[in-house]
Amino acid sequence: MDKQRLTLAVLTVLPLVMACGRDTGDTGGASAASAMSGVHWKVDSVTVDGTTRRAPAGAGADLRIGTDGTAEGSYGCNEFSAKAAFTGHRVELTHARQTLMACEPRRMVFERAMSRTLNDRPLTVAAKDGRLTLTARDGDRIQLTEEKDAPLYGTKWTITSLGADGTATSLPQQAKGSAYLTFDRKPGRVTGRLGCNHVTAKATARDGRVTLGPASTTRMMCDASLMQTEKGLLRLFDGTATYRLDHRTLTLTSENGETAEAVAGQ
């Protein structure tokens, strides 16, 4: 009788073990939702029908999924948004919407491959050591790598827009790429260019706020659009501003509500 009971117990447990083994997702014991959400994933490559395409340099293809189940990112040319539904070690993106820009052919080919693989199909999630693989049932897959937020200190922050009262305006065409700030922790200062003139000032950051001392600048005169950008940035100095880091974007907001947005490494 004991032998029969043991045999029945083994037969009962074995199907459960085999059923668990069918899901090949390796997320280190975490669910797909906890493994993917709240991380900025840079797309490295897409494999469709056995052909692997590397993300074109500078394309910026990426994927971000919030804890609220919303997804957004870039296919390499166009930005997209979608809904993300998780089931165990799988994720499915649906209701995708995207912008409608045209880019050079290589980026568009990659974009079509990524869009086809990513949307409206269940994808098995395998995440380990900062790497992520999303695999469809037919073997198509996307390889991604976790990309950390750019640090406040030591990053060249190129100013992209200025604003006030919740409204931001991109820099004039002539001023794009002309203004940047770099914060240096050890000497406690910020250096850079305001559009026309170079600037240096004391700077200390703590608890999401940065205190900027009076600006010391060169004395050149430039095009009107550059001087306008410079005038706006100067209003951030000699005061305290809040700062917010979002992956590779920095937003500075002064006490009077004026803002400056910048991106890392451009």
Side-chain angles (χ1 to χ4, degrees), residues 74-266:
S74 169
Y75 292 129
C77 176
N78 285 283
E79 304 291 318
F80 71 88
S81 62
K83 294 181 179 180
F86 292 97
T87 305
H89 291 303
R90 292 184 173 86
V91 63
E92 184 170 5
L93 268 60
T94 59
H95 301 87
R97 303 177 65 181
Q98 70 175 72
T99 55
L100 298 174
M101 298 186 298
C103 297
E104 56 96 8
R106 185 162 175 256
R107 289 173 66 177
M108 297 307 295
V109 169
F110 181 85
E111 174 164 305
R112 286 191 291 271
M114 179 178 167
S115 175
R116 167 186 159 177
T117 306
L118 186 63
N119 296 312
D120 298 317
R121 60 202 311 204
L123 300 168
T124 298
V125 176
K128 188 175 182 180
D129 298 331
R131 295 187 178 276
L132 174 70
T133 303
L134 304 177
T135 307
R137 288 193 178 98
D138 61 4
D140 291 351
R141 63 187 180 274
I142 302 176
Q143 301 278 4
L144 309 95
T145 303
E146 180 179 357
E147 196 168 55
K148 302 293 187 181
D149 290 346
L152 175 67
Y153 290 104
T155 300
K156 180 181 178 181
W157 293 104
T158 301
I159 308 298
T160 56
S161 67
L162 297 174
D165 301 322
T167 301
T169 303
S170 298
L171 298 191
Q173 186 63 39
Q174 298 90 330
K176 288 182 178 179
S178 65
Y180 64 89
L181 297 172
T182 302
F183 295 88
D184 195 335
R185 185 194 298 272
K186 191 171 182 179
R189 69 181 180 186
V190 60
T191 58
R193 190 176 179 186
L194 300 175
C196 178
N197 287 284
H198 292 272
V199 64
T200 183
K202 292 183 178 180
T204 55
R206 184 178 180 182
D207 299 328
R209 301 175 68 83
V210 58
T211 300
L212 301 175
S216 176
T217 69
T218 53
R219 300 293 181 182
M220 298 186 294
M221 292 297 295
C222 298
D223 179 87
S225 63
L226 296 178
M227 298 307 294
Q228 181 181 0
T229 298
E230 183 163 308
K231 184 177 179 181
L233 284 171
L234 278 171
R235 288 196 285 269
L236 294 172
F237 289 82
D238 201 13
T240 299
T242 59
Y243 73 88
R244 182 171 61 88
L245 288 169
D246 181 9
H247 184 49
R248 301 186 66 79
T249 301
L250 168 68
T251 303
L252 297 169
T253 305
S254 69
E255 293 175 320
N256 61 6
E258 294 184 287
T259 61
E261 189 168 283
V263 295
Q266 294 189 14

